Amino acid sequence: LRLVTKSGKSVTLKNVAFGELWIGGGQSNMGWTMEQCYRGTTSRLLYQKEIDSSANDDIRLFRVFYHNSEEPTDDVANADGWNTAQPSTVAPFSAAGYFFAKELNARYNVPVGVIQSCMGGTPIHTWMPAGVMDEAVGSSTNAEYADSRLYNGMIHPLRKVTARGVLWYQGEGDFNSYDVNYGLLMKGWRAAFGRENMW
């Protein structure tokens, strides 16, 4: 893909894929990696064969690492960039995210990208944009995961990507009024991404 400015400067991007793009958010259930899934003991990986046979240029993986912020940030502060699926990139990636991408790629024969942006043990309030917090029930009592902090640092920077939808997988440790707060989270993310029909 070659981009040319009016002044004639150009940039060429290689290995570009067009297809499905999804964001994997939530708590530890979304962050649980392929290499953390054991069969009985830690010496036996449950998905070793899946990892070993994972090479697929049409599956793209992107991990956003932990970053909290008092204010919304425009850029991803800490990530390992886009990688094609292969054993070294699939092993540390979200198991739920990888299996979703693999299924979609096999079913529709299109490239599938998943952006993993999640953190274990976090309350839903920290993932909600400030714009919906006045409607939320309760608030985060953890200073590190204060209201909107992980949204500001890990989701807001992604708002310009054209994602088909969000894979939300949360343990619901803060289950009080979760139905109300989850609805507000969806409302806030759809507004931030500018897509009312975002899945």
Side-chain angles (χ1 to χ4, degrees), residues 22-31 94 96-97 100 114-129 150-151 154-155 158 165-174 178-179 181-186 189-190 193 198-199:
W22 292 75
I23 297 171
Q27 293 181 329
S28 55
N29 293 346
M30 182 56 72
S94 161
F100 180 84
V114 176
I115 299 173
Q116 173 186 321
S117 189
C118 53
M119 184 67 193
T122 53
I124 193 169
H125 300 89
T126 197
W127 296 104
M128 298 168 70
L150 294 188
Y151 167 82
M154 297 174 67
I155 300 301
L158 304 174
V166 173
L167 312 172
W168 180 260
Y169 196 167
Q170 187 172 20
E172 299 180 33
D174 55 331
Y178 193 84
D179 56 340
N181 290 330
Y182 181 54
L184 291 171
L185 178 132
M186 287 190 291
W189 284 28
R190 284 172 173 155
F193 282 82
M198 190 177 188
W199 295 355

Side-chain angles (χ1 to χ4, degrees), residues 6-80:
K6 288 182 180 180
S7 64
K9 292 183 180 179
S10 68
V11 175
T12 301
L13 304 175
K14 297 181 179 179
N15 197 15
V16 177
F18 294 90
E20 292 282 321
L21 178 61
W22 292 75
I23 297 171
Q27 293 181 329
S28 55
N29 293 346
M30 182 56 72
W32 201 256
T33 69
M34 293 288 285
E35 62 189 355
Q36 288 178 302
C37 299
Y38 302 114
R39 187 190 306 275
T41 68
T42 57
S43 62
R44 300 178 63 204
L45 280 178
L46 182 61
Y47 298 123
Q48 188 64 61
K49 289 182 181 178
E50 291 280 352
I51 293 170
D52 292 342
S53 63
S54 62
N56 185 337
D57 286 345
D58 281 340
I59 295 178
R60 309 292 175 102
L61 309 173
F62 187 103
R63 290 186 300 163
V64 176
F65 298 118
Y66 175 81
H67 179 67
N68 77 41
S69 175
E70 291 183 11
E71 299 295 330
T73 57
D74 288 331
D75 299 313
V76 174
N78 192 4
D80 61 359

